[in-house]
Amino acid sequence: PGPQVRALLTARDGTLWVGSQGGPLQYDPVAQRMLEPLPGVPTSAVIALHEDAGGNLWVGASSGLYLRRAGESRFVQLDAAGGYPADATFTFLDDGDDALLLGTDAGLLRYSRGSWTRMGREHGLPFHSVMA
């Protein structure tokens, strides 16, 4: 869906994830076809894709952050009710300490052991949004 692809990720299982304007798509290279969308998959523009060391799939989208835990088929949206402080997620980086850094419209976020730490302009960053 949509005319743009903004992110690509080859997962450990060989599946190619394609981040499109209409959500993430799965391509099965063995069957050479796109797979049906998974439950809970976002339908907004995907900006970034990331698979962490535990095999969890993170989807950064214009509508926030989505997570598919390893071994599960359903995506869940991480939102303000669950403590996620951003509206859009632009980029991911493993920091090597079992933590994940995320560039968002709410600053730089660090996720570790189930909690979020936010760093923004008030912490010395020159801009409110971190896109790379």
Side-chain angles (χ1 to χ4, degrees), residues 56-98:
N56 301 309
L57 179 64
W58 299 81
V59 177
S62 59
S63 62
L65 179 64
Y66 298 81
L67 173 63
R68 190 194 75 173
R69 297 201 181 278
E72 296 182 7
S73 61
R74 176 173 291 280
F75 279 89
V76 295
Q77 183 175 13
L78 304 177
D79 56 18
Y84 188 67
D87 291 325
T89 305
F90 305 121
T91 189
F92 299 99
L93 177 68
D94 278 313
D95 82 350
D97 280 336
D98 292 327

Side-chain angles (χ1 to χ4, degrees), residues 18-131:
V18 179
S20 77
Q21 277 184 298
L25 306 169
Q26 281 181 283
Y27 179 78
D28 181 342
V30 175
Q32 296 186 351
R33 66 180 179 84
M34 299 305 283
L35 301 176
E36 291 296 315
L38 295 171
V41 69
T43 57
S44 59
V46 172
I47 302 166
L49 296 164
H50 178 74
E51 184 179 26
D52 66 24
N56 301 309
L57 179 64
W58 299 81
V59 177
S62 59
S63 62
L65 179 64
Y66 298 81
L67 173 63
R68 190 194 75 173
R69 297 201 181 278
E72 296 182 7
S73 61
R74 176 173 291 280
F75 279 89
V76 295
Q77 183 175 13
L78 304 177
D79 56 18
Y84 188 67
D87 291 325
T89 305
F90 305 121
T91 189
F92 299 99
L93 177 68
D94 278 313
D95 82 350
D97 280 336
D98 292 327
L100 186 62
L101 298 172
L102 295 86
T104 75
D105 64 335
L108 181 64
L109 303 179
R110 184 174 189 269
Y111 180 74
S112 179
R113 296 176 182 84
S115 66
W116 298 98
T117 303
R118 190 183 76 76
M119 296 160 273
R121 293 184 90 171
E122 64 276 16
H123 300 100
L125 290 178
F127 302 102
H128 189 64
S129 292
V130 176
M131 296 185 180

